[in-house]
């Protein structure tokens, strides 16, 4: 675990520095342009390039040394921030330069997380992988909570240049901690890379490895649904929060719900880090996902500030339980030489869920749910009695549907009842040999 601990510390610093600079850069873009379009373009570029690069990144992670992949990706991301510092210092920083660095960081992320996830097998014994997953989620929660606060503080005291220097320092810590660790590379036991196949063929092997194990298919659906609901809830909760308190308390209420979510995420991650996870993770995954879905349904129907705070905490607490417990199942089920591709495809799928949640939730609430509540029909009157009307009612109705969908995704084809698949590795090796 000591090697994992060193790499984990470096990852936390790297991600924290990236979050601090990303928050400051998006704020800078909006302040300079006063354009929602350019602001949203920056958010779009932070997701989509990494999403597209994911499958190819997985192939490269499996082809080359994972430590080398991490070092190259970290260095490329660091170089992008250094370029911004030079432009900022010379007074020639422009929006397109920020967009370019955002794209570089997005693509680097497509390499960093699959390479790190695939390296856990050699750094952490099987009995501690649940704990490692919990620590990873804890680090993510800490960066999510502290990132905006640190960014704002640095902007107020030293401006954008100081924020970028902080990102450079954090990135350097990540590279140094990684350079000092020996990550054992698993020997190739198949012909997958002795006779190189096409990129498409290698990516398809990763998809087949996932689809051949029903447990992994179910876990992927649950994780994707949770990420989509999390993204959608970040938009839909705002009208419910605003409607639950007087105008003078809007900012306090929004901050309270957001903070409760961050505390729930940190608390769940910390519990998993200390506990290490159950011996039978599948029932815990289902239970945590169902409780998270129920919390969303409750929030949609009872839009009172205390209820929204509690629901935000419960949903966020269940998130790291699902992800950490799932990680041990993925490591058990996947052939080591396939982990790069499989983890890249998993990351791409859950990110697609996040993007879908963000992009579709506004139009659905505005053009589908809200008009449905205003119709003069018996079902519409019943729905108005439950959710209310206007933007609040449309948001609540859609949020309720998403919560029910998450519960259904968790219990239909219950992963608890699915047998273990001890021959999964043999099946994956057959796939590799058939495609060689």
């Amino acid at each position: 675990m000591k090697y994992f601990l060193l790499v984990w510390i470096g990852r936390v610093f790297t991600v924290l520095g990236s979050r601090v600079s990303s928050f400051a850069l998006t704020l800078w873009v909006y302040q300079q342009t006063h354009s929602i379009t350019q602001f949203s373009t920056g958010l779009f570029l932070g997701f989509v390039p990494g999403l597209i690069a994911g499958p190819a990144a997985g192939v490269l992670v499996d082809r080359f040394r994972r430590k080398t992949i991490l070092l190259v990706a970290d260095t490329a991301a660091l170089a992008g921030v250094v370029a911004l510092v030079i432009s900022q210092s010379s007074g020639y920083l422009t929006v397109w330069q920020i967009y370019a660095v955002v794209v570089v960081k997005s693509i680097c992320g497509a390499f960093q997380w699959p390479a790190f996830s695939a390296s856990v097998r050699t750094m952490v014994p099987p009995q501690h992988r649940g704990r490692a997953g919990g620590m990873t989620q804890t680090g993510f929660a800490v960066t999510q909570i502290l990132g905006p606060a640190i960014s704002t503080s640095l902007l107020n005291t030293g401006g954008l240049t100081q924020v970028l220097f902080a990102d450079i320092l954090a990135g350097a810590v990540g590279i140094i901690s990684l350079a000092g660790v020996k990550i054992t590379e698993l020997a190739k036991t198949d012909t997958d890379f002795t006779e190189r196949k096409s990129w498409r063929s290698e990516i398809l092997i990763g998809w087949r490895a996932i689809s051949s194990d029903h447990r992994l298919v179910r876990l992927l659906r649950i994780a994707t649904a949770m990420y989509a609901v999390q993204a959608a809830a970040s938009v839909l909760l705002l009208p419910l929060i605003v409607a639950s308190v007087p105008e003078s308390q809007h900012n306090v209420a929004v901050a309270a719900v957001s903070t409760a979510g961050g505390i729930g995420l940190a608390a769940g991650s910390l519990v998993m880090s200390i506990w290490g996870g159950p011996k039978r993770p599948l029932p815990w995954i289902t239970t945590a996902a169902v409780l998270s879905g129920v919390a969303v349904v409750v929030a949609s129907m009872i839009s009172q500030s205390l209820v929204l705070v509690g629901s935000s905490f419960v949903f966020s607490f269940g998130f790291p339980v699902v992800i950490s417990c799932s990680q041990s199942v993925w490591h058990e089920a996947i052939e080591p030489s396939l982990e790069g591709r499989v983890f890249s495809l998993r990351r791409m799928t859950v990110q697609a869920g996040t993007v879908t949640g963000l992009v579709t939730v506004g139009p659905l609430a505005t053009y589908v749910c809200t008009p449905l509540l205003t119709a003069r029909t018996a079902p519409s009157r019943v729905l108005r009695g439950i959710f209310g009307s206007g933007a609040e009612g449309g948001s609540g109705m859609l949020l309720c549907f998403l919560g029910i969908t998450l519960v259904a995704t968790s219990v239909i084809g219950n992963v608890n009842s699915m047998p273990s698949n001890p021959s999964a590795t043999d099946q994956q090796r057959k796939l590799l040999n058939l495609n060689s």
Side-chain angles (χ1 to χ4, degrees), residues 282-357:
L282 297 178
W284 287 84
I285 293 169
T286 300
T287 302
V290 168
L291 290 177
S292 294
V294 170
V296 173
V297 173
V298 171
S300 71
M301 293 184 173
I302 309 175
S303 56
Q304 298 176 5
S305 56
L306 288 178
V307 174
L308 296 176
V309 167
S311 296
S312 179
F313 177 87
V314 171
F315 177 86
S316 298
F317 186 93
F319 209 93
V321 176
V322 172
I323 302 303
S324 299
C325 290
S326 297
Q327 189 69 14
S328 61
V329 179
W330 284 89
H331 278 299
E332 171 202 342
I334 296 300
E335 164 71 20
S337 62
L338 285 169
E339 284 186 334
R341 278 164 285 181
V342 168
F343 290 151
S344 290
L345 292 169
R346 182 184 66 178
R347 181 178 184 271
M348 181 188 72
T349 303
V350 298
Q351 279 197 328
T354 299
V355 173
T356 301

Side-chain angles (χ1 to χ4, degrees), residues 67-385:
K67 179 178 177 179
T68 302
I69 292 288
L70 283 169
L71 287 172
V72 171
D74 285 359
T75 303
L78 186 60
V81 181
V82 171
L84 289 183
V85 169
I86 295 173
S87 296
Q88 171 72 3
S89 301
S90 62
Y92 292 103
L93 183 63
T94 61
V95 172
W96 75 263
Q97 291 171 327
I98 291 176
Y99 285 168
V101 173
V102 168
V103 170
V104 169
K105 283 200 163 195
S106 178
I107 294 173
C108 288
F111 288 88
Q112 288 165 326
W113 284 110
F116 173 68
S117 298
S119 300
V120 170
R121 181 189 290 265
T122 60
M123 292 188 290
V124 180
Q127 67 271 23
H128 294 306
R129 285 174 188 161
R131 180 173 288 109
M135 290 174 64
T136 301
Q137 290 299 310
T138 301
F140 176 81
V142 169
T143 61
Q144 188 175 39
I145 295 171
L146 295 182
I150 294 175
S151 181
T152 303
S153 176
L154 291 176
L155 280 172
N156 291 336
T157 57
L160 184 60
T161 301
Q162 186 167 308
V163 172
L164 296 176
F165 271 116
D167 191 6
I168 291 173
L169 179 61
V173 171
I175 292 174
I176 292 170
S177 66
L178 184 61
V181 171
K182 180 180 179 181
I183 298 179
T184 304
E185 298 291 331
L186 295 171
K188 306 299 183 185
T189 58
D190 51 64
T191 60
D192 190 27
F193 297 112
T194 56
E195 297 179 9
R196 294 282 171 84
K197 299 178 285 295
S198 68
W199 289 73
R200 178 177 177 274
S201 177
E202 292 179 16
I203 292 170
L204 284 176
I205 291 173
W207 275 122
R208 290 168 185 163
I210 296 173
S211 61
S212 65
D213 192 322
H214 293 298
R215 296 172 303 166
L216 301 185
V217 173
R218 295 300 308 159
L219 293 180
L220 188 60
R221 288 177 182 171
I222 291 173
T224 304
M226 290 201 73
Y227 275 93
V229 171
Q230 183 190 47
S234 66
V235 177
L236 294 175
L237 279 176
L238 184 59
L240 301 183
I241 297 170
V242 168
S244 67
V245 296
E247 185 176 354
S248 60
Q249 300 178 19
H250 283 176
N251 291 339
V252 174
V254 171
V257 173
S258 177
T259 301
I263 293 173
L265 185 64
S269 301
L270 187 60
V271 167
M272 294 303 300
S273 300
I274 297 173
W275 175 30
K279 292 183 179 179
R280 297 180 61 224
L282 297 178
W284 287 84
I285 293 169
T286 300
T287 302
V290 168
L291 290 177
S292 294
V294 170
V296 173
V297 173
V298 171
S300 71
M301 293 184 173
I302 309 175
S303 56
Q304 298 176 5
S305 56
L306 288 178
V307 174
L308 296 176
V309 167
S311 296
S312 179
F313 177 87
V314 171
F315 177 86
S316 298
F317 186 93
F319 209 93
V321 176
V322 172
I323 302 303
S324 299
C325 290
S326 297
Q327 189 69 14
S328 61
V329 179
W330 284 89
H331 278 299
E332 171 202 342
I334 296 300
E335 164 71 20
S337 62
L338 285 169
E339 284 186 334
R341 278 164 285 181
V342 168
F343 290 151
S344 290
L345 292 169
R346 182 184 66 178
R347 181 178 184 271
M348 181 188 72
T349 303
V350 298
Q351 279 197 328
T354 299
V355 173
T356 301
L358 289 172
V359 170
T360 62
V361 65
L364 285 174
T366 302
Y367 300 112
V368 177
C369 294
T370 301
L372 183 61
L373 291 173
T374 61
R376 296 181 179 179
T377 62
S380 295
R381 286 194 292 272
V382 172
L383 292 173
R384 280 197 299 274

